Amino acid sequence: MLKVGLTGGIGSGKTTVSRIFMLLGIPVFNADIAAKTIMNEDEALKKAIIRHFGTKAYTRGAPDRNYIASLVFENEENLATLNSLVHPAVIQSAKNWMQQQNAPYIIKEAALIFESGSQEELDLVIGVYAPKHLRVQRTMQRDGTDRESVIKRMNNQINEEMKMKLCDFVLYNDEQRLLIPQVLSLHEYLLLQSPKISNQFS
Ligand code: ATP
């Protein structure tokens, strides 16, 4: 089974693209959702986060996202620490999930594929590209947040153009090119690349 990564900056359209792949019957693992679940449920991880960031990081057993965000978005070292605690657990959870799938290929959606080194576990990586002004606009609208906090979050990710250069394929979600036909043609290609499902007549 081919393991395909799907990445792109904040607001580029990863989840939108994932939904199209899901409609085509392709299983999708969302690293962001997995990270949230793991931070809620993994007792060893909770303890490690509290050890590093203090008891205020959790309130009644649930992570205090605003408090944690206030510590990590202003401070690179804190962000690196949090990532070093959460990423290995998410990578492991993705591996477990992949073992349970039965499809020609699967998709792992994650904003930080290259930053976390998880491309090592993948056969190829798709990038979703959108110019910065569109990503800012979409994220502000989706999250009801201000420009400054979106830009702050963006500045913690590697440069978008550089990220796209590392990808094997790029889907352009720039409101100039239609997205769905691009996903469909990539889907056809990936089906051809996936190890052939045995043909009972051959
Ligand atoms: P994040 O990394 O922040 O989770 P993302 O890369 O998963 O973001 P999406 O959530 O898919 O991005 O898209 C961001 C917002 O932009 C969503 O509200 C989505 O509906 C909207 N959006 C995505 N693509 C388009 C498009 N081509 N036209 C209009 N709106 C779009």
Side-chain angles (χ1 to χ4, degrees):
M1 189 176 64
L2 210 59
K3 295 174 189 140
V4 180
L6 180 69
T7 195
I10 296 165
S12 57
K14 296 177 293 299
T15 302
T16 305
V17 168
S18 287
R19 289 197 185 116
I20 306 172
F21 278 113
M22 280 193 258
L23 286 174
L24 294 166
I26 300 304
V28 175
F29 177 92
N30 182 315
D32 211 25
I33 295 175
K36 284 184 182 141
T37 308
I38 291 168
M39 281 175 75
N40 268 315
E41 295 174 0
D42 186 324
E43 293 303 326
L45 179 64
K46 274 189 195 182
K47 276 192 192 139
I49 291 175
I50 291 172
R51 202 177 318 123
H52 280 90
F53 299 109
T55 48
K56 278 195 195 163
Y58 277 80
T59 310
R60 273 175 260 113
D64 184 332
R65 297 196 179 282
N66 290 335
Y67 180 72
I68 296 174
S70 73
L71 294 179
V72 302
F73 287 136
E74 302 281 346
N75 182 315
E76 268 181 39
E77 207 177 306
N78 281 345
L79 181 62
T81 303
L82 182 68
N83 285 343
S84 72
L85 296 172
V86 177
H87 284 163
V90 174
I91 290 174
Q92 188 54 48
S93 146
K95 272 191 195 168
N96 298 346
W97 175 86
M98 283 174 197
Q99 278 169 4
Q100 291 159 18
Q101 305 309 310
N102 180 18
Y105 68 95
I106 58 89
I107 299 236
K108 177 182 174 184
E109 175 195 335
L112 304 180
I113 283 185
F114 298 110
E115 294 89 334
S116 66
S118 66
Q119 79 276 13
E120 305 292 334
E121 317 285 338
L122 300 164
D123 297 306
L124 51 94
V125 179
I126 302 168
V128 183
Y129 177 78
K132 191 170 180 179
H133 73 275
L134 273 183
R135 296 194 292 119
V136 172
Q137 192 183 307
R138 288 172 184 166
T139 309
M140 284 169 63
Q141 217 160 28
R142 184 195 58 193
D143 299 347
T145 184
D146 60 289
R147 180 175 300 272
E148 201 193 334
S149 25
V150 177
I151 304 264
K152 234 181 238 171
R153 279 162 60 199
M154 279 180 176
N155 289 343
N156 286 317
Q157 299 190 345
I158 61 173
N159 173 283
E160 198 65 359
E161 281 69 23
M162 201 190 291
K163 187 178 273 186
M164 292 302 120
K165 275 193 193 152
L166 298 171
C167 295
D168 300 284
F169 299 94
V170 176
L171 296 170
Y172 295 88
N173 187 20
D174 54 4
E175 295 179 20
Q176 302 293 315
R177 288 158 268 205
L178 290 174
L179 186 58
I180 293 175
Q182 295 177 62
V183 177
L184 284 177
S185 80
L186 189 51
H187 174 66
E188 295 296 333
Y189 174 82
L190 292 172
L191 287 179
L192 290 173
Q193 297 309 307
S194 68
K196 299 278 178 291
I197 297 165
S198 65
N199 178 343
Q200 59 175 312
F201 301 108
S202 61

